[in-house]
Coordinates of all heavy atoms in Angstrom, one line a residue:
A1 N -100.7 -150.7 29.6 CA -100.9 -151.5 28.4 C -102.4 -151.3 28.0 O -102.6 -151.3 26.8 CB -100.6 -152.9 28.8
L2 N -103.3 -151.3 28.9 CA -104.7 -151.1 28.5 C -104.9 -149.9 27.7 O -105.6 -149.9 26.7 CB -105.6 -151.1 29.8 CG -107.1 -150.8 29.6 CD1 -107.7 -151.9 28.8 CD2 -107.8 -150.6 30.9
F3 N -104.3 -148.8 28.1 CA -104.5 -147.5 27.4 C -103.9 -147.5 26.0 O -104.5 -147.0 25.1 CB -103.8 -146.3 28.2 CG -104.5 -146.0 29.5 CD1 -103.7 -145.9 30.7 CD2 -105.8 -145.9 29.6 CE1 -104.3 -145.6 31.9 CE2 -106.4 -145.6 30.8 CZ -105.7 -145.5 32.0
R4 N -102.8 -148.3 25.9 CA -102.2 -148.3 24.6 C -103.0 -149.1 23.5 O -102.9 -148.9 22.4 CB -100.8 -148.9 24.7 CG -99.8 -148.0 25.4 CD -98.4 -148.6 25.5 NE -97.5 -147.7 26.1 CZ -97.2 -147.7 27.4 NH1 -97.7 -148.6 28.2 NH2 -96.4 -146.8 27.9
R5 N -103.9 -150.0 24.0 CA -104.7 -150.8 23.1 C -106.0 -150.1 22.8 O -106.7 -150.5 21.9 CB -105.0 -152.1 23.8 CG -103.8 -153.0 23.7 CD -104.2 -154.4 24.2 NE -103.5 -154.4 25.5 CZ -103.5 -155.4 26.3 NH1 -104.1 -156.5 26.0 NH2 -102.8 -155.4 27.5
S6 N -106.4 -149.0 23.5 CA -107.7 -148.4 23.3 C -107.5 -147.1 22.4 O -106.9 -146.2 22.8 CB -108.2 -147.9 24.7 OG -109.4 -147.2 24.5
P7 N -108.1 -147.2 21.2 CA -108.0 -146.0 20.3 C -108.9 -144.9 20.8 O -108.7 -143.8 20.3 CB -108.5 -146.6 19.0 CG -109.4 -147.7 19.4 CD -108.9 -148.3 20.7
S8 N -109.7 -145.1 21.8 CA -110.7 -144.0 22.1 C -110.1 -142.9 23.0 O -110.6 -141.9 23.2 CB -111.9 -144.6 22.8 OG -111.5 -145.2 24.0
I9 N -108.9 -143.2 23.6 CA -108.3 -142.2 24.6 C -107.9 -140.9 23.9 O -108.0 -139.9 24.5 CB -107.2 -142.8 25.4 CG1 -106.1 -143.3 24.5 CG2 -107.6 -143.8 26.4 CD1 -104.8 -143.7 25.3
A10 N -107.6 -141.0 22.6 CA -107.2 -139.8 21.9 C -108.4 -138.9 21.8 O -108.3 -137.7 21.6 CB -106.6 -140.1 20.6
G11 N -109.6 -139.4 21.9 CA -110.8 -138.6 21.8 C -111.3 -137.9 23.0 O -112.3 -137.3 23.0
L12 N -110.5 -138.0 24.1 CA -110.9 -137.4 25.4 C -110.7 -135.9 25.2 O -109.6 -135.4 25.0 CB -110.0 -137.9 26.5 CG -110.3 -139.3 27.0 CD1 -109.3 -139.6 28.1 CD2 -111.7 -139.4 27.6
T13 N -111.8 -135.1 25.2 CA -111.7 -133.7 25.0 C -112.3 -132.9 26.2 O -112.1 -131.7 26.2 CB -112.5 -133.3 23.8 OG1 -113.9 -133.7 23.9 CG2 -111.9 -133.9 22.5
L14 N -112.9 -133.5 27.2 CA -113.4 -132.8 28.4 C -112.2 -132.5 29.3 O -111.1 -133.1 29.2 CB -114.3 -133.7 29.1 CG -115.6 -134.1 28.4 CD1 -116.4 -135.1 29.2 CD2 -116.5 -132.8 28.2
P15 N -112.4 -131.5 30.2 CA -111.3 -131.3 31.2 C -110.9 -132.6 31.9 O -111.8 -133.4 32.3 CB -112.0 -130.3 32.1 CG -113.0 -129.6 31.3 CD -113.5 -130.6 30.4
L16 N -109.7 -132.8 32.1 CA -109.2 -134.1 32.6 C -108.2 -133.8 33.7 O -107.2 -133.1 33.6 CB -108.5 -134.8 31.4 CG -107.8 -136.2 31.7 CD1 -108.9 -137.2 32.2 CD2 -107.1 -136.7 30.5
L17 N -108.4 -134.5 34.8 CA -107.5 -134.4 36.0 C -107.1 -135.8 36.3 O -107.9 -136.7 36.5 CB -108.2 -133.8 37.2 CG -107.3 -133.9 38.5 CD1 -106.0 -133.1 38.4 CD2 -108.2 -133.4 39.7
L18 N -105.8 -136.1 36.2 CA -105.2 -137.4 36.6 C -104.4 -137.2 37.8 O -103.6 -136.3 37.9 CB -104.3 -137.9 35.4 CG -105.0 -138.1 34.1 CD1 -104.0 -138.2 33.0 CD2 -105.9 -139.3 34.1
L19 N -104.6 -138.1 38.8 CA -103.9 -138.1 40.1 C -103.1 -139.4 40.2 O -103.7 -140.5 39.9 CB -104.8 -138.0 41.2 CG -105.9 -136.9 41.2 CD1 -106.9 -137.0 42.3 CD2 -105.2 -135.5 41.3
H20 N -101.8 -139.3 40.5 CA -101.1 -140.5 40.7 C -100.0 -140.4 41.7 O -99.4 -139.3 41.8 CB -100.4 -140.9 39.3 CG -100.3 -142.4 39.1 ND1 -101.0 -143.1 38.2 CD2 -99.5 -143.3 39.7 CE1 -100.7 -144.4 38.3 NE2 -99.8 -144.5 39.2
G21 N -99.8 -141.4 42.5 CA -98.7 -141.4 43.5 C -97.4 -142.0 42.8 O -97.4 -143.0 42.1
S22 N -96.3 -141.3 43.1 CA -95.0 -141.8 42.5 C -94.6 -143.1 43.1 O -93.8 -143.8 42.4 CB -93.9 -140.7 42.8 OG -93.6 -140.7 44.2
D23 N -95.0 -143.5 44.2 CA -94.7 -144.8 44.8 C -95.8 -145.9 44.6 O -95.8 -146.8 45.4 CB -94.3 -144.7 46.3 CG -93.0 -144.0 46.5 OD1 -92.3 -143.8 45.5 OD2 -92.7 -143.6 47.6
D24 N -96.7 -145.7 43.7 CA -97.7 -146.7 43.4 C -97.1 -148.0 42.9 O -96.5 -148.0 41.9 CB -98.7 -146.1 42.4 CG -99.9 -146.9 42.2 OD1 -99.9 -148.1 42.5 OD2 -100.9 -146.4 41.7
R25 N -97.3 -149.0 43.7 CA -96.8 -150.4 43.3 C -97.8 -151.2 42.6 O -97.4 -152.3 42.2 CB -96.3 -151.1 44.6 CG -95.1 -150.3 45.2 CD -94.5 -151.0 46.3 NE -93.4 -150.3 46.9 CZ -92.9 -150.5 48.0 NH1 -93.3 -151.4 48.8 NH2 -91.9 -149.7 48.5
I26 N -99.0 -150.7 42.4 CA -100.0 -151.5 41.7 C -100.1 -151.1 40.3 O -100.3 -151.9 39.3 CB -101.4 -151.4 42.4 CG1 -101.2 -152.0 43.8 CG2 -102.5 -152.1 41.6 CD1 -102.4 -151.9 44.7
A27 N -100.1 -149.7 40.0 CA -100.3 -149.2 38.7 C -99.2 -148.2 38.5 O -99.0 -147.2 39.3 CB -101.6 -148.5 38.5
S28 N -98.4 -148.3 37.5 CA -97.3 -147.4 37.2 C -97.7 -146.1 36.8 O -98.7 -145.9 36.1 CB -96.4 -148.0 36.1 OG -95.4 -147.1 35.7
A29 N -97.0 -145.1 37.2 CA -97.3 -143.7 36.8 C -97.2 -143.5 35.3 O -97.8 -142.6 34.7 CB -96.5 -142.7 37.5
T30 N -96.5 -144.4 34.6 CA -96.3 -144.2 33.2 C -97.7 -144.4 32.5 O -97.8 -143.8 31.4 CB -95.3 -145.2 32.6 OG1 -95.7 -146.6 32.9 CG2 -93.9 -145.0 33.2
G31 N -98.6 -145.1 33.0 CA -99.9 -145.2 32.4 C -100.6 -143.9 32.4 O -101.3 -143.5 31.4
S32 N -100.6 -143.2 33.6 CA -101.2 -141.9 33.7 C -100.5 -140.9 32.8 O -101.1 -140.0 32.2 CB -101.2 -141.4 35.1 OG -102.1 -142.2 35.9
E33 N -99.2 -141.0 32.7 CA -98.4 -140.1 31.8 C -98.8 -140.3 30.4 O -98.9 -139.4 29.6 CB -96.9 -140.3 32.0 CG -96.4 -139.8 33.4 CD -95.0 -140.3 33.8 OE1 -94.5 -141.3 33.1 OE2 -94.5 -139.8 34.7
Y34 N -98.9 -141.6 30.0 CA -99.3 -141.9 28.6 C -100.7 -141.4 28.3 O -100.9 -140.8 27.3 CB -99.3 -143.4 28.4 CG -99.7 -143.8 27.0 CD1 -98.7 -143.8 26.0 CD2 -101.0 -144.3 26.7 CE1 -99.1 -144.1 24.7 CE2 -101.3 -144.6 25.5 CZ -100.4 -144.6 24.4 OH -100.7 -144.9 23.2
L35 N -101.7 -141.6 29.2 CA -103.0 -141.1 29.0 C -103.0 -139.5 28.9 O -103.7 -139.0 28.0 CB -103.9 -141.5 30.2 CG -105.4 -141.0 30.1 CD1 -106.1 -141.4 28.8 CD2 -106.1 -141.6 31.3
H36 N -102.2 -138.9 29.7 CA -102.1 -137.4 29.7 C -101.6 -137.0 28.3 O -102.1 -136.0 27.7 CB -101.2 -136.9 30.8 CG -101.1 -135.4 30.8 ND1 -100.1 -134.8 30.2 CD2 -101.9 -134.5 31.5 CE1 -100.2 -133.5 30.4 NE2 -101.3 -133.3 31.2
A37 N -100.6 -137.7 27.8 CA -100.0 -137.3 26.5 C -100.9 -137.6 25.4 O -100.9 -136.8 24.4 CB -98.7 -138.1 26.4
Q38 N -101.7 -138.6 25.4 CA -102.5 -139.0 24.3 C -103.9 -138.3 24.3 O -104.5 -138.1 23.2 CB -102.8 -140.5 24.3 CG -101.5 -141.3 24.2 CD -100.8 -141.0 22.8 OE1 -101.4 -141.0 21.8 NE2 -99.5 -140.8 22.9
A39 N -104.4 -137.9 25.4 CA -105.7 -137.2 25.4 C -105.6 -135.9 24.7 O -104.7 -135.1 24.8 CB -106.2 -137.0 26.8
T40 N -106.6 -135.6 23.8 CA -106.6 -134.4 23.0 C -107.3 -133.2 23.7 O -107.4 -132.1 23.1 CB -107.3 -134.6 21.7 OG1 -108.6 -135.1 21.9 CG2 -106.5 -135.6 20.9
S41 N -107.6 -133.3 25.0 CA -108.3 -132.3 25.7 C -107.3 -131.0 25.7 O -106.1 -131.1 25.9 CB -108.5 -132.7 27.1 OG -109.0 -131.6 27.9
A42 N -107.9 -129.9 25.6 CA -107.2 -128.6 25.7 C -107.0 -128.2 27.1 O -106.3 -127.3 27.4 CB -107.9 -127.5 25.0
D43 N -107.6 -128.9 28.1 CA -107.5 -128.7 29.5 C -107.3 -130.0 30.2 O -108.2 -130.7 30.5 CB -108.8 -128.0 30.0 CG -108.6 -127.5 31.4 OD1 -107.6 -127.8 32.1 OD2 -109.6 -126.8 31.9
K44 N -106.0 -130.3 30.4 CA -105.7 -131.5 31.1 C -104.5 -131.3 32.1 O -103.6 -130.6 31.8 CB -105.3 -132.6 30.1 CG -104.2 -132.3 29.1 CD -104.0 -133.4 28.1 CE -102.9 -133.0 27.1 NZ -102.7 -134.0 26.1
T45 N -104.6 -132.0 33.2 CA -103.6 -131.9 34.3 C -103.3 -133.2 34.8 O -104.2 -134.0 35.1 CB -104.2 -131.0 35.4 OG1 -104.5 -129.7 34.9 CG2 -103.2 -130.8 36.5
L46 N -102.0 -133.5 35.0 CA -101.5 -134.7 35.6 C -100.8 -134.2 36.9 O -99.9 -133.4 36.9 CB -100.5 -135.4 34.7 CG -99.8 -136.6 35.4 CD1 -100.7 -137.6 36.0 CD2 -98.8 -137.2 34.4
Q47 N -101.3 -134.7 38.0 CA -100.7 -134.4 39.3 C -100.0 -135.6 39.9 O -100.7 -136.6 40.1 CB -101.7 -133.8 40.3 CG -102.3 -132.5 39.9 CD -103.3 -132.0 40.9 OE1 -103.8 -132.7 41.8 NE2 -103.7 -130.7 40.8
L48 N -98.7 -135.6 40.0 CA -97.9 -136.7 40.5 C -97.5 -136.4 41.9 O -96.8 -135.4 42.2 CB -96.7 -136.9 39.6 CG -97.0 -137.4 38.2 CD1 -95.8 -137.3 37.3 CD2 -97.5 -138.8 38.2
F49 N -98.0 -137.1 42.9 CA -97.7 -136.9 44.3 C -96.5 -137.7 44.7 O -96.6 -138.9 44.8 CB -98.9 -137.3 45.1 CG -100.1 -136.3 44.9 CD1 -101.0 -136.5 43.9 CD2 -100.3 -135.2 45.7 CE1 -102.0 -135.7 43.6 CE2 -101.3 -134.3 45.5 CZ -102.2 -134.6 44.4
E50 N -95.4 -137.0 45.0 CA -94.2 -137.6 45.4 C -94.4 -138.4 46.7 O -94.9 -137.9 47.7 CB -93.1 -136.6 45.6 CG -92.6 -135.9 44.3 CD -92.0 -136.8 43.3 OE1 -91.3 -137.8 43.7 OE2 -92.2 -136.6 42.1
G51 N -94.0 -139.7 46.7 CA -94.1 -140.6 47.8 C -95.5 -141.2 48.0 O -95.7 -142.0 48.9
G52 N -96.5 -140.8 47.2 CA -97.8 -141.3 47.3 C -98.0 -142.7 46.7 O -97.3 -143.1 45.8
G53 N -98.8 -143.5 47.4 CA -99.0 -144.9 47.0 C -100.2 -145.0 46.0 O -100.7 -144.0 45.4
H54 N -100.8 -146.2 46.0 CA -101.9 -146.4 45.1 C -103.2 -145.8 45.5 O -104.0 -145.2 44.7 CB -102.1 -147.9 44.9 CG -103.2 -148.3 43.9 ND1 -103.0 -148.1 42.6 CD2 -104.4 -148.8 44.1 CE1 -104.1 -148.5 41.9 NE2 -104.9 -149.0 42.8
D55 N -103.5 -145.8 46.8 CA -104.7 -145.3 47.3 C -104.5 -143.9 47.9 O -104.4 -143.6 49.1 CB -105.3 -146.2 48.4 CG -106.7 -145.9 48.9 OD1 -107.3 -144.9 48.3 OD2 -107.2 -146.6 49.7
L56 N -104.5 -142.9 47.0 CA -104.1 -141.5 47.3 C -105.2 -140.9 48.3 O -104.8 -140.1 49.1 CB -104.0 -140.7 46.1 CG -102.7 -140.9 45.3 CD1 -102.8 -140.0 44.0 CD2 -101.5 -140.5 46.0
L57 N -106.4 -141.3 48.1 CA -107.5 -140.6 48.9 C -107.5 -141.2 50.3 O -108.1 -140.5 51.2 CB -108.8 -140.8 48.2 CG -109.0 -140.0 46.9 CD1 -110.3 -140.3 46.3 CD2 -108.8 -138.5 47.1
N58 N -106.9 -142.3 50.6 CA -106.9 -142.8 52.0 C -105.5 -143.0 52.5 O -105.4 -143.5 53.6 CB -107.7 -144.2 52.0 CG -109.1 -144.0 51.7 OD1 -109.8 -143.2 52.4 ND2 -109.6 -144.8 50.8
G59 N -104.5 -142.6 51.8 CA -103.1 -142.8 52.2 C -102.6 -141.6 53.0 O -103.4 -140.7 53.4
D60 N -101.3 -141.6 53.2 CA -100.7 -140.5 54.0 C -100.9 -139.1 53.4 O -100.9 -138.1 54.1 CB -99.2 -140.8 54.1 CG -98.9 -142.0 54.9 OD1 -99.8 -142.4 55.7 OD2 -97.8 -142.6 54.8
H61 N -101.1 -139.0 52.1 CA -101.2 -137.8 51.4 C -102.7 -137.3 51.2 O -103.0 -136.4 50.4 CB -100.6 -137.8 50.0 CG -99.1 -138.1 50.1 ND1 -98.6 -139.3 50.3 CD2 -98.1 -137.2 50.0 CE1 -97.2 -139.2 50.3 NE2 -96.9 -138.0 50.1
H62 N -103.6 -138.0 51.9 CA -105.1 -137.8 51.6 C -105.5 -136.3 51.7 O -106.2 -135.8 50.8 CB -106.0 -138.7 52.4 CG -106.0 -138.2 53.9 ND1 -105.0 -138.6 54.8 CD2 -106.9 -137.5 54.5 CE1 -105.3 -138.1 55.9 NE2 -106.5 -137.4 55.8
A63 N -105.1 -135.6 52.7 CA -105.5 -134.2 52.8 C -105.0 -133.3 51.7 O -105.7 -132.5 51.1 CB -105.0 -133.6 54.2
L64 N -103.7 -133.5 51.3 CA -103.1 -132.8 50.2 C -103.8 -133.1 48.9 O -104.1 -132.2 48.1 CB -101.6 -133.0 50.1 CG -100.9 -132.3 49.0 CD1 -101.0 -130.8 49.1 CD2 -99.4 -132.8 49.0
V65 N -104.1 -134.4 48.6 CA -104.7 -134.8 47.4 C -106.1 -134.2 47.3 O -106.5 -133.7 46.3 CB -104.8 -136.4 47.3 CG1 -105.6 -136.8 46.2 CG2 -103.4 -137.0 47.3
Q66 N -106.9 -134.3 48.4 CA -108.2 -133.7 48.4 C -108.2 -132.2 48.2 O -109.0 -131.7 47.4 CB -108.9 -134.0 49.7 CG -109.3 -135.5 49.9 CD -109.8 -135.8 51.2 OE1 -109.8 -135.0 52.2 NE2 -110.4 -137.0 51.4
T67 N -107.2 -131.5 48.8 CA -107.1 -130.1 48.6 C -106.8 -129.8 47.1 O -107.4 -128.9 46.5 CB -106.0 -129.5 49.5 OG1 -106.4 -129.7 50.9 CG2 -105.8 -128.0 49.3
K68 N -105.8 -130.4 46.5 CA -105.4 -130.2 45.2 C -106.6 -130.5 44.2 O -106.8 -129.7 43.2 CB -104.2 -131.0 44.8 CG -102.9 -130.6 45.5 CD -102.4 -129.3 45.0 CE -101.1 -128.9 45.6 NZ -100.5 -127.7 45.1
A69 N -107.3 -131.6 44.4 CA -108.4 -132.0 43.5 C -109.5 -130.9 43.7 O -110.1 -130.5 42.6 CB -108.9 -133.4 43.9
C70 N -109.8 -130.5 44.9 CA -110.9 -129.5 45.1 C -110.5 -128.2 44.4 O -111.3 -127.5 43.8 CB -111.2 -129.3 46.5 SG -112.1 -130.6 47.3
H71 N -109.2 -127.8 44.5 CA -108.8 -126.5 43.8 C -108.9 -126.7 42.3 O -109.4 -125.7 41.6 CB -107.3 -126.2 44.1 CG -107.1 -125.7 45.5 ND1 -105.9 -125.6 46.1 CD2 -108.0 -125.3 46.5 CE1 -106.0 -125.2 47.3 NE2 -107.3 -125.0 47.6
W72 N -108.6 -127.8 41.8 CA -108.8 -128.1 40.3 C -110.2 -128.0 39.9 O -110.6 -127.3 38.9 CB -108.1 -129.4 39.9 CG -108.1 -129.6 38.4 CD1 -107.1 -129.3 37.6 CD2 -109.1 -130.3 37.6 NE1 -107.5 -129.6 36.3 CE2 -108.7 -130.2 36.3 CE3 -110.4 -130.8 37.9 CZ2 -109.4 -130.8 35.3 CZ3 -111.1 -131.4 36.9 CH2 -110.6 -131.4 35.6
I73 N -111.1 -128.6 40.7 CA -112.5 -128.6 40.4 C -113.1 -127.2 40.5 O -113.8 -126.7 39.6 CB -113.3 -129.6 41.3 CG1 -112.9 -131.0 41.0 CG2 -114.8 -129.3 41.2 CD1 -113.4 -132.0 42.0
Q74 N -112.7 -126.5 41.5 CA -113.1 -125.1 41.7 C -112.7 -124.2 40.5 O -113.4 -123.4 40.0 CB -112.6 -124.5 43.0 CG -113.2 -123.1 43.3 CD -114.7 -123.1 43.4 OE1 -115.3 -124.0 44.1 NE2 -115.4 -122.2 42.7
A75 N -111.5 -124.4 40.0 CA -111.0 -123.7 38.9 C -111.8 -124.0 37.6 O -112.0 -123.1 36.8 CB -109.5 -124.0 38.6
Q76 N -112.3 -125.2 37.5 CA -113.1 -125.6 36.4 C -114.5 -124.9 36.4 O -115.0 -124.6 35.4 CB -113.4 -127.1 36.3 CG -112.1 -127.9 36.1 CD -111.4 -127.6 34.8 OE1 -112.0 -127.4 33.8 NE2 -110.1 -127.4 34.9
L77 N -114.9 -124.7 37.6 CA -116.2 -124.0 37.8 C -116.1 -122.5 37.7 O -117.1 -121.8 37.6 CB -116.8 -124.4 39.2 CG -117.1 -125.9 39.3 CD1 -117.5 -126.2 40.8 CD2 -118.1 -126.4 38.3
D78 N -114.9 -122.0 37.8 CA -114.7 -120.5 37.8 C -115.1 -120.0 36.4 O -114.7 -120.4 35.4 CB -113.2 -120.3 38.1 CG -112.9 -118.8 38.3 OD1 -113.8 -118.0 38.4 OD2 -111.7 -118.5 38.5
A79 N -115.9 -118.9 36.5 CA -116.5 -118.4 35.2 C -115.4 -117.7 34.3 O -115.6 -117.6 33.1 CB -117.5 -117.4 35.6
N80 N -114.3 -117.3 34.9 CA -113.3 -116.6 34.0 C -112.5 -117.5 33.1 O -111.8 -117.0 32.3 CB -112.4 -115.6 34.8 CG -111.6 -116.4 35.8 OD1 -111.3 -117.5 35.7 ND2 -111.2 -115.7 36.9
G81 N -112.5 -118.8 33.4 CA -111.8 -119.7 32.5 C -110.3 -119.6 32.5 O -109.7 -120.1 31.6
E82 N -109.7 -119.0 33.5 CA -108.2 -118.9 33.5 C -107.5 -120.2 33.7 O -106.3 -120.3 33.4 CB -107.8 -117.9 34.6 CG -108.2 -116.5 34.3 CD -107.8 -115.6 35.4 OE1 -107.0 -116.0 36.3 OE2 -108.3 -114.4 35.4
H83 N -108.1 -121.2 34.2 CA -107.5 -122.5 34.5 C -107.1 -123.3 33.3 O -106.3 -124.2 33.3 CB -108.4 -123.3 35.4 CG -107.7 -124.6 35.9 ND1 -107.9 -125.8 35.3 CD2 -106.9 -124.8 37.0 CE1 -107.2 -126.7 36.0 NE2 -106.6 -126.1 37.0
R84 N -107.8 -123.1 32.2 CA -107.6 -123.9 31.0 C -106.1 -124.0 30.5 O -105.5 -123.0 30.4 CB -108.5 -123.4 29.9 CG -109.9 -123.4 30.3 CD -110.9 -123.4 29.1 NE -112.2 -123.2 29.5 CZ -112.9 -124.2 30.1 NH1 -112.4 -125.4 30.2 NH2 -114.2 -124.0 30.4
G85 N -105.7 -125.2 30.3 CA -104.3 -125.3 29.8 C -103.9 -126.8 30.0 O -104.6 -127.7 30.4
I86 N -102.7 -127.0 29.6 CA -102.1 -128.4 29.7 C -100.9 -128.3 30.6 O -100.0 -127.5 30.4 CB -101.7 -128.8 28.3 CG1 -102.9 -128.9 27.3 CG2 -100.9 -130.2 28.3 CD1 -102.5 -129.1 25.9
R87 N -100.9 -129.1 31.6 CA -99.9 -129.1 32.6 C -99.6 -130.4 33.3 O -100.5 -131.2 33.4 CB -100.2 -128.0 33.7 CG -101.3 -128.3 34.6 CD -101.7 -127.0 35.4 NE -103.1 -126.7 35.2 CZ -103.7 -126.3 34.1 NH1 -103.1 -126.1 33.0 NH2 -105.0 -126.0 34.0
I88 N -98.4 -130.5 33.8 CA -98.0 -131.6 34.7 C -97.5 -131.0 36.0 O -96.7 -130.1 35.9 CB -97.0 -132.5 34.1 CG1 -97.5 -133.2 32.8 CG2 -96.5 -133.6 35.1 CD1 -96.5 -134.0 32.1
E89 N -98.0 -131.4 37.1 CA -97.6 -130.8 38.4 C -96.9 -132.0 39.2 O -97.5 -133.0 39.4 CB -98.8 -130.3 39.2 CG -99.5 -129.2 38.4 CD -100.8 -128.7 39.1 OE1 -101.0 -129.2 40.3 OE2 -101.5 -127.9 38.6
Y90 N -95.7 -131.7 39.7 CA -95.0 -132.6 40.6 C -95.2 -132.1 42.0 O -94.7 -131.0 42.3 CB -93.5 -132.7 40.2 CG -93.4 -133.3 38.8 CD1 -93.2 -132.5 37.7 CD2 -93.3 -134.7 38.7 CE1 -93.1 -133.1 36.5 CE2 -93.2 -135.3 37.4 CZ -93.1 -134.5 36.3 OH -92.9 -135.0 35.1
I91 N -95.9 -132.8 42.8 CA -96.3 -132.3 44.1 C -95.5 -133.0 45.2 O -95.6 -134.2 45.4 CB -97.8 -132.4 44.4 CG1 -98.6 -131.7 43.3 CG2 -98.2 -132.0 45.8 CD1 -100.0 -132.0 43.2
N92 N -94.7 -132.2 45.9 CA -93.8 -132.7 46.9 C -93.9 -131.8 48.1 O -93.1 -130.9 48.4 CB -92.4 -132.8 46.5 CG -91.5 -133.5 47.4 OD1 -92.0 -134.1 48.4 ND2 -90.2 -133.5 47.2
E93 N -95.0 -131.9 48.9 CA -95.3 -131.1 50.1 C -95.3 -131.9 51.3 O -95.7 -133.0 51.3 CB -96.6 -130.3 49.9 CG -96.5 -129.4 48.7 CD -97.8 -128.6 48.6 OE1 -98.6 -128.5 49.5 OE2 -98.0 -128.0 47.5

C-alpha cells in the first residue's frame, strides 16, 4: 500500500535488486512485485526465494540469498555490462 501511494517509485532508474521470501508473513511479495513493475529502471531484478521468510539474510536461506545478491552485485560491477535487463527469478534451491 505504501508503494501505491508514492509517485516517486516510477522514477527509480538505477540498477535495482529486490529480494523477497515467498513465505514472508510480515510483508507480502506483491509489494515487491508492484515495485518491480513500476520502477522505470532498465536494469531491475526481483528474486523470489521459495520458502523464504521475512528475514532472508538470517533465515534458513541466508547462504543462498547472500550468494545470489553477491552475484548480482558482481555483475553490476562487470565492465562488459551483459547483466543489464529486466527479470524476475524464482529461486527454489
Side-chain angles (χ1 to χ4, degrees):
L2 173 65
F3 294 132
R4 289 183 178 95
R5 284 183 253 185
S6 176
S8 63
I9 59 173
L12 290 174
T13 58
L14 296 173
L16 177 64
L17 173 63
L18 300 164
L19 308 170
H20 212 109
S22 66
D23 289 349
D24 187 337
R25 294 183 181 167
I26 297 173
S28 173
T30 58
S32 291
E33 292 166 345
Y34 180 82
L35 179 56
H36 182 267
Q38 296 301 310
T40 57
S41 176
D43 187 353
K44 57 186 178 180
T45 301
L46 169 58
Q47 294 181 346
L48 294 166
F49 292 86
E50 293 296 325
H54 185 71
D55 191 358
L56 288 174
L57 294 176
N58 292 309
D60 294 339
H61 297 82
H62 73 278
L64 178 59
V65 172
Q66 289 173 347
T67 297
K68 293 289 187 178
C70 286
H71 286 167
W72 186 88
I73 292 168
Q74 187 60 48
Q76 296 302 316
L77 299 173
D78 192 2
N80 62 21
E82 292 178 11
H83 186 266
R84 302 201 184 283
I86 298 171
R87 71 192 121 293
I88 297 176
E89 300 172 7
Y90 296 93
I91 301 166
N92 187 9
E93 295 182 17

